[in-house]
């Protein structure tokens, strides 16, 4: 039990940041599919936006991932 707790404690932040980044990447992929008018993509994008908005308000990891993405865009 201690080994599992240590493992979770060690990798939790990194894994949550990875998940947050993947959620943002998935939003871009859905946006591109909606812009090419793939069948059903607008509905899927709408549902995912609702989900991502809720995640943004509940998760500091998602908020941090958006801040890092904005900083990267501003640097270019």
């Amino acid at each position: 039990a201690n080994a599992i707790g240590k493992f979770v404690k060690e990798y939790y932040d990194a894994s949550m940041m990875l998940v947050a980044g993947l959620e943002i990447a998935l939003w871009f992929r859905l946006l591109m599919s909606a812009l090419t008018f793939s069948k059903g993509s607008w509905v899927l994008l709408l549902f995912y936006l609702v989900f991502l908005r809720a995640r943004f308000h509940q998760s500091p990891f998602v908020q941090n991932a958006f801040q890092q993405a904005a900083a990267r865009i501003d640097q270019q």
Side-chain angles (χ1 to χ4, degrees):
N2 287 338
I4 293 172
K6 183 179 176 184
F7 179 83
V8 169
K9 190 174 188 178
E10 185 175 342
Y11 293 107
Y12 181 77
D13 288 345
S15 64
M16 289 303 291
M17 283 304 297
L18 175 66
V19 168
L22 290 173
E23 288 172 353
I24 294 171
L26 180 57
W27 178 78
F28 279 110
R29 197 238 176 252
L30 289 173
L31 180 63
M32 289 299 120
S33 118
L35 291 175
T36 60
F37 298 103
S38 296
K39 185 176 181 175
S41 60
W42 287 103
V43 174
L44 187 58
L45 180 63
L46 178 68
F47 282 117
Y48 192 74
L49 281 173
V50 171
F51 164 77
L52 193 59
R53 182 177 182 266
R55 287 282 294 155
F56 181 82
H57 288 290
Q58 293 175 355
S59 173
F61 294 102
V62 176
Q63 293 171 6
N64 190 16
F66 270 104
Q67 289 172 353
Q68 287 180 357
R72 273 190 228 128
I73 291 168
D74 288 343
Q75 283 179 344
Q76 294 179 355

